[in-house]
Amino acid sequence: MDLLKSIILTVSMTCLVSCAKISYVAKQGVGQVSLEWNARDNKDVLKDKTVSEEFKRKIRIVEKAKKYFYEYFDLPSTDIYDETTFLNQDAVTYLVIHSPANEIKAVKTNFPIVGSFPYLGFFSQKDALEFAKDKQSSGYHTFLRPVYAYSTLNQWIFDDNILSSFFTYSDERLVELIFHELIHTVLFIKNDVKFNENFANFVAQKLLIEYLGKSPKAVENESKQRENSKVLMQEIIKMGQELNEKYKSSKNHTETLENFLAHSFTPRVKQVCKRLALKSCWPLKGDWNNARFAAFSIYESKQDEIEEIYGLKQM
């Protein structure tokens, strides 16, 4: 009887987990389909007098960047970004990352075919907040951030569209964004979000310099800014690792985090920002917890590795 109970409990729990994933995938699938369903051909949008001239200008920037990308790499063009979807919200989706209270580690969710991801994306902000609240009630730290652009890797039955959320970016940042997302469609390593994001960032930045034909002086100035930003990011990653070590011998994880943020993180961030003469010391904005540290490391920790590979190729 005990064995039978154990089997029933195991099967029931497996069903609950599986059903939750199915529900999640179904909801996000509906969200993705709606993006395509509400899309309009760029040619029609550009002729529409009710669409602002600023939005039309942004669409033309995307089209020009896309054309440059495919010609630069001598690749056949695709239908990606040939249509535009106007959203009823500022962001297209919301990412939620959750981490244990005693460790800086993004909890991964596994999905068939596409692999595992250290975050979950929600087209509905309400769903994202509910998921974060549920994880918090289970003792996890959570971090939610809006996403204004993303790529399906152009592997869906539909092509990715231009989204009105793109228009929040400056012209230069918009071009870099398009390069970034197009790179994902060319190279995407399964189960390695860190590499994928940092590789796309690195190549997009290099391509942007050539696209804009920037002067050596401008490139030098931007390189210095990026280097300063990298120094700050590396310091944050280092502090996250230090906090992880403290957790190993900690009996009160909440107190450990609070003390670390007050007596180590904040003073050191201020010091680095001052030393580098940064105009905006952005890490001091918003709250930090294990999930935010984990989210940060996802996108930054492999940048040095990629730059090293690039440097070796140039020798």
Side-chain angles (χ1 to χ4, degrees), residues 28 31 33 65-66 78 84 111 115 128 144 146 158 172 222 242 247 250 259:
Q28 305 323 306
V33 170
K66 171 190 168 181
T78 67
T84 298
F111 295 96
L144 183 152
F158 306 120
E172 185 171 315
E222 290 190 4
E242 291 174 7
Y247 280 139
S250 171
N259 287 336

Side-chain angles (χ1 to χ4, degrees), residues 1-14:
M1 181 64 71
D2 289 339
L3 177 60
L4 179 59
K5 286 182 179 180
S6 297
I7 293 174
I8 292 174
L9 179 61
T10 300
V11 172
S12 298
M13 290 302 295
T14 301

Side-chain angles (χ1 to χ4, degrees), residues 11 61 88 94 127 143 179 198 204 247 251 295:
V11 172
I61 288 175
N88 57 7
Y94 298 84
D127 288 345
F143 178 63
F179 289 160
N198 285 289
Y247 280 139
K251 294 182 179 180

Side-chain angles (χ1 to χ4, degrees), residues 97-145:
I97 293 170
H98 64 291
S99 173
N102 62 344
E103 184 181 11
I104 296 174
K105 175 184 176 183
V107 178
K108 292 185 177 182
T109 303
N110 298 307
F111 295 96
I113 302 177
V114 296
S116 62
F117 291 85
Y119 54 75
L120 286 181
F122 298 84
F123 285 103
S124 165
Q125 184 181 29
K126 179 181 177 182
D127 288 345
L129 290 170
E130 288 180 354
F131 177 78
K133 184 177 180 180
D134 178 64
K135 290 302 176 183
Q136 289 167 11
S137 65
S138 298
Y140 289 96
H141 289 190
T142 64
F143 178 63
L144 183 152
R145 73 179 182 87

Side-chain angles (χ1 to χ4, degrees), residues 35-67:
L35 293 181
E36 179 66 24
W37 184 264
N38 296 315
R40 299 173 58 193
D41 191 283
N42 289 347
K43 293 180 181 178
D44 295 332
V45 175
L46 293 174
K47 293 178 182 177
D48 191 341
K49 294 182 179 179
T50 64
V51 177
S52 72
E53 289 302 317
E54 177 60 14
F55 282 1
K56 292 178 181 179
R57 189 180 69 82
K58 294 285 189 180
I59 291 173
R60 292 190 182 98
I61 288 175
V62 173
E63 292 182 329
K64 184 178 178 181
K66 171 190 168 181
K67 183 174 184 293

